[in-house]
Amino acid sequence: NDYLELQAIRKNFGNTRVLDNVDLQIREGELVTLLGPSGCGKSTLLRCIAGLADPDSGRILLEKKDLTQLPPRSREVGMVFQSYALFPNLTVRENMEYGLKMRRASKDVMRRRSEELLALVDLEDKRDAYPQQLSGGQQQRVALARSLAVQPKLLLLDEPLSALDAKIRKNLRTEIREIQKRFKMTTIFVTHDQEEALTVSDRICIMNKGVIVQDGIPEALYNSP
Ligand code: ADP
Ligand code: ADP
């Protein structure tokens, strides 16, 4: 009953091995955190799943389909980055509708979906604002909503809170967890912050030097030496 299955993922950059035979299984609706120090390969693993990087070998199965055979746009994967990566020349609403427009959704569908998501992240009064008119936390909520607009099968969050102030970080991580549960969205959350990992996760995988060295529920991590 694995929803996402990574099999023996390897990736080198030059002579450096960045991912060393990574295996990982994730069930539908689970939020799994990859926790590990900077440079251990977390981003690279997400980028391989999203199609922004190619593994040298290995398979990535989402509902039994091998994603490595599909171009990024066909993978039905949403991704949020540390830097919000919104389109600066598009309004909040246009940012949210962009992915749907690319998929040739009707105006009605785009409008309905963007309004639902604006309400979800409580930014209805910012629908016509441009990204630079928003705070960092607001921009990141737009980025999150935008990634959900196309109803992805998998959500990849790459240090989504790292650029934000401590207080906003705490609020937003609670919000992300609530949204993730509400939509039963299968999610991989990347962080180097242990407290963050402990508070948002169903399961935590600890990564070090391109290898998952520990995999368990947050309580197990908390009680380990
Ligand atoms: P993390 O997300 O855990 O901080 P990354 O996956 O970003 O780690 O990086 C893992 C290692 O791979 C680092 O040593 C990084 O410098 C290297 N790396 C990442 N992307 C590239 C790239 N495009 N070219 C060369 N080296 C890279
Ligand atoms: P993150 O903060 O998510 O770990 P990085 O800042 O390490 O990401 O990397 C940002 C971008 O630079 C990515 O596209 C990554 O692939 C690339 N990159 C990272 N390290 C290197 C490197 N040593 N050489 C070339 N590109 C790199």
Side-chain angles (χ1 to χ4, degrees):
N1 64 2
D2 292 323
Y3 184 73
L4 176 72
E5 188 167 7
L6 308 187
Q7 299 175 341
I9 304 299
R10 284 184 187 236
K11 176 76 177 171
N12 283 10
F13 286 115
N15 292 324
T16 311
R17 175 144 302 166
V18 173
L19 297 174
D20 191 0
N21 255 325
V22 174
D23 291 313
L24 179 63
Q25 293 89 36
I26 299 183
R27 289 189 299 275
E28 188 166 11
E30 210 175 12
L31 189 157
V32 173
T33 293
L34 297 178
L35 173 67
S38 182
C40 73
K42 306 181 297 296
S43 276
T44 302
L45 191 60
L46 286 198
R47 294 164 60 81
C48 285
I49 298 169
L52 305 174
D54 288 320
D56 297 332
S57 60
R59 300 208 301 166
I60 301 172
L61 304 177
L62 180 61
E63 292 186 309
K64 311 283 179 213
K65 243 192 320 198
D66 192 350
L67 292 188
T68 60
Q69 307 304 312
L70 298 174
R73 192 163 284 156
S74 308
R75 294 189 183 199
E76 299 183 80
V77 166
M79 192 154 172
V80 176
F81 304 88
Q82 176 178 334
S83 60
Y84 327 115
L86 299 174
F87 302 113
N89 301 320
L90 300 182
T91 64
V92 165
R93 190 214 293 280
E94 288 163 348
N95 264 284
M96 288 195 187
E97 294 180 350
Y98 183 84
L100 290 167
K101 200 169 175 182
M102 290 299 108
R103 288 167 173 75
R104 302 180 194 288
S106 71
K107 275 223 159 61
D108 278 359
V109 167
M110 292 199 301
R111 201 41 59 97
R112 185 153 31 84
R113 191 78 53 74
S114 62
E115 284 301 324
E116 278 168 17
L117 289 165
L118 281 165
L120 182 76
V121 295
D122 202 17
L123 285 174
E124 288 143 302
D125 56 334
K126 300 291 185 193
R127 60 167 73 75
D128 297 318
Y130 287 88
Q132 67 270 23
Q133 298 173 292
L134 305 182
S135 70
Q138 289 172 332
Q139 289 188 54
Q140 199 56 312
R141 275 148 61 209
V142 175
L144 178 67
R146 181 178 65 173
S147 72
L148 295 171
V150 295
Q151 300 178 314
K153 291 187 168 169
L154 183 65
L155 183 60
L156 305 176
L157 305 176
D158 191 357
E159 306 245 8
L161 306 175
S162 297
L164 304 170
D165 297 340
K167 184 161 183 296
I168 296 164
R169 212 154 59 212
K170 278 196 175 171
N171 291 341
L172 196 52
R173 81 184 181 207
T174 308
E175 199 172 327
I176 286 175
R177 180 58 159 160
E178 283 169 5
I179 290 171
Q180 182 269 334
K181 279 188 172 166
R182 163 119 69 109
F183 289 106
K184 299 186 173 61
M185 179 62 66
T186 312
T187 303
I188 305 179
F189 183 98
V190 159
T191 184
H192 59 261
D193 181 330
Q194 178 163 324
E195 193 203 333
E196 206 169 280
L198 287 169
T199 49
V200 302
S201 314
D202 292 313
R203 231 171 89 206
I204 298 174
C205 295
I206 298 182
M207 255 183 107
N208 195 19
K209 296 180 182 161
V211 177
I212 293 176
V213 293
Q214 197 182 331
D215 179 347
I217 58 172
E219 291 74 9
L221 175 71
Y222 201 63
N223 294 323
S224 71

